[in-house]
Amino acid sequence: MSDALLNSLNPQQREAVIHRGGPLLVLAGAGSGKTRVITARIADLIRDGVQPERILSLTFTNKAAGEMRERLEPLIGAESSSAMTVGTFHGLGLRLIQEEADRLGLFRPVCLLDAGDQAVCVRQVLSELKLDPRRHDAQRLLNEISRARHADVKPEELSQRVGGGPIGRVYAGYLERKRAQRAADFDDLILMPVSLMRENDEIRQRWQERWDAILVDEYQDTSASQFAMVQLLAERHRNLAVVGDDDQSIYGW
């Protein structure tokens, strides 16, 4: 990064860009230059000797990731920008489960269930349980199952929480059908990497070693599961910087 760019930052932005020695959280309002801090920090890390391929930058949409690369290219060059890993949480999760498919009991390449596939699975489970699909909306059930999975609530526990009813049996049946197909769904792109890294020291350490620095934009939108993924990946080097606007949070901090 050029000294001119560093000098163009305000004192708070400059402090965030040059901070070293542990995790960094930046909270600022809309239009205050949060993404600029991320890109300038990446450029500064590279100037300090961090290799571009050892930097991971995450955001929440493919469009935002593309815009991040566009902002980076004038600062670090196209070659360095291409060498970095810039993407979404779900894209990173897919990369991990593709590489670790054998450990996860999945086919390679990974078969990813879309919303239609998931609904078919739930309707098949309803049929097996002799439950009327006209009285039990598949999408509503999938939404409940998704919330439970991200909260680490097991099928039997969910049944107890709602005072009985079919949701626990549908939840268990859905997971079993997914396992039988050796497939993953959208939630698995976050949940499987988190579970695998928590349970397997070798895999966790291998993925932690891939990146010396991790940066997250729009951090206010991070779910508990996404936070766990970043925390696991950053645990070794602790070179984590996140920026966000808590007034725009969709989850609540």
Side-chain angles (χ1 to χ4, degrees):
M1 179 176 64
S2 68
D3 289 331
L5 175 58
L6 194 60
N7 292 334
S8 73
L9 302 173
N10 66 39
Q12 292 79 16
Q13 291 171 332
R14 182 187 175 93
E15 182 181 4
V17 166
I18 65 176
H19 169 82
R20 301 293 186 269
L24 171 71
L25 169 64
V26 176
L27 296 178
S32 58
K34 297 186 297 298
T35 303
R36 188 182 187 203
V37 166
I38 287 279
T39 54
R41 182 174 172 84
I42 289 169
D44 199 50
L45 286 167
I46 292 173
R47 186 169 74 164
D48 276 358
V50 179
Q51 296 300 307
E53 61 270 21
R54 304 282 297 171
I55 299 175
L56 168 65
S57 179
L58 294 172
T59 188
F60 285 84
T61 66
N62 290 322
K63 179 181 178 182
E67 291 172 350
M68 178 74 72
R69 282 199 189 277
E70 289 176 3
R71 291 191 185 203
L72 283 168
E73 283 192 14
L75 301 180
I76 63 176
E79 184 176 351
S80 291
S81 176
S82 297
M84 285 181 54
T85 299
V86 180
T88 66
F89 282 90
H90 288 89
L92 175 62
L94 179 59
R95 175 177 170 182
L96 189 150
I97 66 175
Q98 291 278 22
E99 290 191 29
E100 309 293 349
D102 294 340
R103 298 287 190 113
L104 292 163
L106 301 174
F107 286 120
R108 194 192 298 269
V110 171
C111 173
L112 193 61
L113 303 179
D114 63 19
D117 298 325
Q118 291 179 272
V120 168
C121 281
V122 168
R123 284 193 287 269
Q124 289 170 339
V125 172
L126 290 171
S127 177
E128 291 171 356
L129 296 174
K130 296 181 170 51
L131 295 169
D132 187 349
R134 292 170 296 184
R135 295 183 56 193
H136 301 281
D137 180 69
Q139 190 55 57
R140 183 184 63 79
L141 291 168
L142 281 166
N143 290 340
E144 291 186 46
I145 291 168
S146 178
R147 284 193 293 270
R149 293 178 69 199
H150 281 281
D152 199 25
V153 175
K154 306 305 181 192
E156 59 277 9
E157 185 182 352
L158 183 59
S159 289
Q160 293 170 359
R161 288 189 180 190
V162 299
I167 182 61
R169 289 179 292 156
V170 175
Y171 180 1
Y174 171 74
L175 294 181
E176 182 54 41
R177 278 195 162 271
K178 187 164 61 70
R179 277 192 296 269
Q181 296 180 47
R182 297 182 66 183
D185 63 17
F186 192 68
D187 290 328
D188 286 322
L189 299 183
I190 304 298
L191 297 175
M192 281 185 173
V194 169
S195 177
L196 189 61
M197 286 191 288
R198 281 175 173 166
E199 295 170 2
N200 191 301
D201 292 344
E202 176 193 349
I203 290 174
R204 181 177 67 255
Q205 291 167 10
R206 186 166 69 245
W207 281 86
Q208 287 173 348
E209 281 301 319
R210 294 203 176 192
W211 297 291
D212 294 327
I214 300 174
L215 305 97
V216 182
D217 199 8
E218 301 297 342
Y219 185 68
Q220 75 277 354
D221 293 336
T222 307
S223 69
S225 301
Q226 290 165 333
F227 172 75
M229 178 190 278
V230 170
Q231 190 176 42
L232 285 162
L233 289 169
E235 194 174 62
R236 181 172 178 82
H237 297 293
R238 293 180 55 78
N239 190 354
L240 172 67
V242 302
V243 302
D245 178 358
D246 51 343
D247 287 336
Q248 296 184 31
S249 174
I250 62 174
Y251 291 105
W253 286 23

